[in-house]
Amino acid sequence: MSSVKEYFSGIGQGVTSLLKGMGVTGKELFTKKVTEEYPDNRDNLNIGERFRGTLELIYDENGNHKCIGCGLCQMSCPNGTIQVITKMVEMPDGKKKRKLDKYIYDLGSCTFCQMCESSCPHGALRFVNDFEHAVYTRSKLVKQLNYLPEPEPEPAPAAADADAK
């Protein structure tokens, strides 16, 4: 007798499960459909603000980037996407200072983990929503991010006063 009871109980549970599934399907049948018409709607395309598309250096209003060439982003990158090349520059006061020469970023091997951005002590990096990177060769995905030339340091006022005397 208990096997007949279990049989009909199983049928009842199956029907209940079927009705729940049909209810979900029925709701989806009447919800508004959303279709993105992607290349046509590029101007008003809604991209989430947390989306990570491309890494870029942050420049100030004078055209100077905030990167000091410390290399923490390069060290924190799990797969070697970033290469920071620095050079020593003599400042007007005679001291030597390390300056960023090239900031090479390989977009093709980036995992968009944001560890470079979070490890930067000066907030010199950010991810932007640029996502169209279709190219025919992987070498075109290797980019130099410091595209603006860094202005030369101005001579120190003490050096200018000494020349005037």
Side-chain angles (χ1 to χ4, degrees):
M1 181 80 171
S2 72
S3 64
V4 173
K5 185 177 180 181
E6 289 174 5
Y7 175 74
F8 284 112
S9 174
I11 290 177
Q13 289 174 351
V15 169
T16 304
S17 174
L18 177 67
L19 291 176
K20 283 183 184 177
M22 293 302 286
V24 170
T25 305
K27 281 189 225 174
E28 280 300 313
L29 186 63
F30 295 107
T31 59
K32 184 181 177 207
K33 306 301 180 259
V34 177
T35 303
E36 292 288 341
E37 297 177 10
Y38 173 62
D40 298 333
N41 67 346
R42 282 185 184 146
D43 298 334
N44 59 359
L45 188 63
N46 186 15
I47 300 172
E49 76 180 53
R50 293 186 343 172
F51 176 76
R52 302 175 195 149
T54 306
L55 188 66
E56 76 174 7
L57 285 176
I58 299 173
Y59 286 86
D60 64 8
E61 62 278 349
N62 299 328
N64 301 324
H65 52 73
K66 296 180 176 182
C67 181
I68 60 169
C70 65
L72 286 175
C73 55
Q74 178 179 346
M75 288 184 274
S76 66
C77 183
N79 55 347
T81 299
I82 298 170
Q83 183 181 9
V84 178
I85 302 169
T86 59
K87 63 182 177 181
M88 293 303 286
V89 177
E90 189 168 331
M91 300 305 286
D93 58 357
K95 295 181 181 176
K96 292 193 181 250
K97 182 178 179 183
R98 180 174 55 199
K99 295 275 261 187
L100 179 67
D101 188 29
K102 291 183 181 177
Y103 195 100
I104 309 297
Y105 170 61
D106 185 3
L107 178 64
S109 65
C110 183
T111 58
F112 308 101
C113 64
Q114 205 173 9
M115 290 177 71
C116 54
E117 183 180 345
S118 61
S119 68
C120 182
H122 291 280
L125 299 170
R126 71 174 162 220
F127 276 97
V128 293
N129 287 345
D130 185 18
F131 63 91
E132 294 178 324
H133 303 292
V135 292
Y136 288 106
T137 59
R138 290 183 61 89
S139 62
K140 291 183 180 177
L141 294 174
V142 178
K143 304 176 187 247
Q144 181 174 341
L145 296 187
N146 59 329
Y147 52 89
L148 294 176
E150 192 74 10
E152 294 298 319
E154 296 179 15
D161 292 339
D163 291 339
K165 291 180 182 178

